[in-house]
Amino acid sequence: SQQGEEDPQALSIQEGENATMNCSYKTSINNLQWYRQNSGRGLVHLILIRSNEREKHSGRLRVTLDTSKKSSSLLITASRAADTASYFCATTETSGSRLTFGEGTQLTVNP
Amino acid sequence: DAGITQSPRHKVTETGTPVTLRCHQTENHRYMYWYRQDPGHGLRLIHYSYGVKDTDKGEVSDGYSVSRSKTEDFLLTLESATSSQTSVYFCAISGSGTAINQPQHFGDGTRLSIL
């Protein structure tokens, strides 16, 4: 069963614009992670936010976590064509150690 | 990039044949995972290992077995492949200590087609 659900499923923007993707989950978590997947490649870890954190930054990435709403958002600022990829959220539940992935958001950044 | 190699990268085989996929890591990481990725399902965990000879089932383990005889290698076997096992298979690793707050590092996948 899916724990995380990303929204939107697909997003198309122009280079230089910001991209926001959302993730909702169902159960209590230890942490939430975001991954990127380029076509034909494996997933690449972007950022991990723990359940006691509300916001985290890494370069052009900003992640927020609202445990009361069981949701997270990933913001990519000043997007580039190279940001074109699928983005997945994944959660680790408090009852276990496994990651559960959502179905992903396909981001297309047009030059 | 984390040192993870999956082999083969592509394989086409027939229903009923056995298939073994290999994941090799050079990071000396304790945890290794096998996932499958299908449209509409995201990534789903098949099996994982928390040490040599220590493995456990994931969400979609039926029809699959695994073995880990040494730290660096984690094998996924389909004893008798079925068309429903056509998928892209990813291996991942994560570091020592508790796996809970560790990111996972992925190989580039094996595209398996079962005709």
Side-chain angles (χ1 to χ4, degrees):
Chain A
S1 61
Q2 296 301 123
Q3 161 76 317
E5 293 184 6
E6 287 92 342
D7 172 60
Q9 289 188 334
L11 179 62
S12 181
I13 60 174
Q14 297 299 122
E15 217 167 16
E17 294 180 340
N18 295 341
T20 299
M21 288 160 270
N22 302 297
C23 171
S24 60
Y25 57 91
K26 299 173 184 174
T27 63
S28 297
I29 61 171
N30 271 313
N31 66 64
L32 185 144
Q33 304 181 35
W34 285 92
Y35 289 80
R36 184 189 76 233
Q37 184 180 32
N38 291 92
S39 181
R41 303 297 301 273
L43 278 70
V44 174
H45 180 260
L46 296 176
I47 199 163
L48 181 152
I49 186 166
R50 300 183 187 219
S51 59
N52 60 353
E53 298 176 311
R54 292 296 166 257
E55 188 171 312
K56 209 161 182 180
H57 296 255
S58 177
R60 293 184 295 113
L61 305 181
R62 172 178 170 255
V63 169
T64 61
L65 179 64
D66 187 336
T67 53
S68 67
K69 296 181 179 178
K70 292 186 169 58
S71 67
S72 173
S73 67
L74 170 67
L75 168 68
I76 304 174
T77 59
S79 63
R80 306 166 182 168
D83 294 327
T84 294
S86 293
Y87 291 82
F88 294 87
C89 69
T91 54
T92 305
E93 298 178 22
T94 53
S95 59
S97 61
R98 308 172 194 177
L99 274 183
T100 304
F101 288 83
E103 294 180 26
T105 292
Q106 172 61 51
L107 172 66
T108 302
V109 181
N110 301 299
Chain B
D1 290 347
I4 307 169
T5 305
Q6 291 187 232
S7 59
R9 292 294 315 280
H10 302 271
K11 186 173 183 66
V12 180
T13 190
E14 294 183 348
T15 300
T17 59
V19 177
T20 296
L21 308 183
R22 179 182 184 236
C23 178
H24 178 79
Q25 60 143 329
T26 58
E27 305 297 320
N28 199 35
H29 280 356
R30 176 182 176 187
Y31 294 89
M32 298 186 76
Y33 310 84
W34 277 109
Y35 293 90
R36 59 179 289 175
Q37 185 176 33
D38 305 287
H41 290 280
L43 271 81
R44 292 180 292 174
L45 182 65
I46 305 171
H47 282 280
Y48 69 102
S49 170
Y50 47 96
V52 173
K53 299 193 189 304
D54 292 323
T55 64
D56 204 351
K57 296 179 180 179
E59 179 186 356
V60 289
S61 59
D62 288 348
Y64 301 95
S65 62
V66 290
S67 66
R68 191 169 179 198
S69 59
K70 45 187 178 178
T71 300
E72 56 266 36
D73 288 327
F74 192 32
L75 303 180
L76 176 71
T77 297
L78 291 65
E79 300 290 347
S80 178
T82 68
S83 58
S84 64
Q85 294 175 311
T86 292
S87 187
V88 181
Y89 291 85
F90 287 96
C91 174
I93 64 175
S94 64
S96 298
T98 175
I100 293 176
N101 287 316
Q102 296 283 339
Q104 292 185 13
H105 306 282
F106 285 78
D108 280 336
T110 294
R111 186 171 296 276
L112 178 62
S113 297
I114 300 165
L115 308 178

